[in-house]
Amino acid sequence: MEDLISIVDLKKHPINDYRYINKCNVIIKKNSLLVLENFLTKNSLKIILNEAKSLEKKAFYCKQKHTILLNKHSDKLDKKDPLNELMISDKGCIPHDMLNTKSDLNILYNSICFQNFIKKILNLDNIYPYLDNLSSININYYQKNQQLGWHFDNASFAITLMIQASP
């Protein structure tokens, strides 16, 4: 827990408290998502935002068309089938291997306490870190008129940490 004292606002989000975990579990079961407002301390948010800004010039930008299942258009499905509708995702990305190993994002991602919180609110016996050192943590950048097309994630769950509203 000591590794998270300066990162997570533990007064608002006591992630090792059974009652708080139970409350989060009830919300996620009801809504299929959980929003934790002001999860980070103000100082950690500032640190992460500064790190993101310092890396932005190194971001890889791409534009992709995909379906809601992250597939390509299929001639086997009707053109009007919702599973065949093409979405557009265009954004910049910094992969995990470009982050400082002592980054607050890395500390949070690797924290046993945080992992236990996620396991408990999702009722999982175990969670495993991504072995792909490019995809485990991403910093995404959206410039004006860029977007993340609607889609279902491939993973069992995803954690999005919004550090700044897009323009």
Side-chain angles (χ1 to χ4, degrees):
M1 184 66 112
E2 279 188 36
D3 57 340
L4 297 182
I5 289 173
S6 66
I7 299 172
V8 175
D9 187 333
L10 296 170
K11 289 180 182 165
K12 290 181 185 167
H13 303 284
I15 63 174
N16 63 341
D17 179 89
Y18 177 75
R19 288 169 293 175
Y20 183 74
I21 292 167
N22 189 49
K23 177 182 164 187
C24 292
N25 181 267
V26 168
I27 293 169
I28 205 165
K29 281 181 181 174
K30 180 181 176 193
N31 301 328
S32 297
L33 90 118
L34 174 65
V35 177
L36 301 175
E37 298 280 341
N38 302 307
F39 185 72
L40 299 176
T41 64
K42 289 180 183 180
N43 190 53
S44 182
L45 177 60
K46 185 178 176 182
I47 290 168
I48 292 170
L49 189 54
N50 286 338
E51 180 180 27
K53 286 179 180 179
S54 75
L55 291 169
E56 188 170 8
K57 289 182 180 174
K58 296 179 181 179
F60 172 74
Y61 281 84
C62 66
K63 183 174 185 174
Q64 300 169 317
K65 289 185 179 182
H66 57 81
T67 66
I68 61 172
L69 298 177
L70 297 176
N71 297 321
K72 293 182 179 185
H73 179 81
S74 172
D75 292 332
K76 294 178 182 177
L77 294 172
D78 186 279
K79 286 183 178 182
K80 294 184 180 184
D81 188 312
L83 294 178
N84 215 18
E85 186 75 27
L86 287 177
M87 306 290 152
I88 296 174
S89 290
D90 51 343
K91 64 185 182 282
C93 181
I94 291 292
H96 189 172
D97 69 341
M98 291 179 70
L99 296 178
N100 184 314
T101 56
K102 296 183 192 239
S103 153
D104 280 10
L105 287 174
N106 264 318
I107 293 169
L108 181 62
Y109 181 81
N110 291 306
S111 166
I112 299 301
C113 184
F114 182 65
Q115 291 171 16
N116 285 336
F117 172 66
I118 299 300
K119 286 191 310 190
K120 289 174 185 172
I121 63 170
L122 295 175
N123 291 321
L124 298 172
D125 293 328
N126 286 303
I127 59 172
Y128 303 94
Y130 243 44
L131 291 178
D132 180 349
N133 66 346
L134 301 177
S135 298
S136 42
I137 300 174
N138 289 161
I139 298 177
N140 291 327
Y141 303 89
Y142 297 92
Q143 305 305 327
K144 189 171 181 157
N145 297 320
Q146 288 189 314
Q147 61 195 317
L148 178 62
W150 200 92
H151 66 279
F152 290 99
D153 283 325
N154 293 326
S156 301
F157 66 90
I159 298 171
T160 300
L161 183 61
M162 179 78 98
I163 60 170
Q164 179 178 306
S166 61

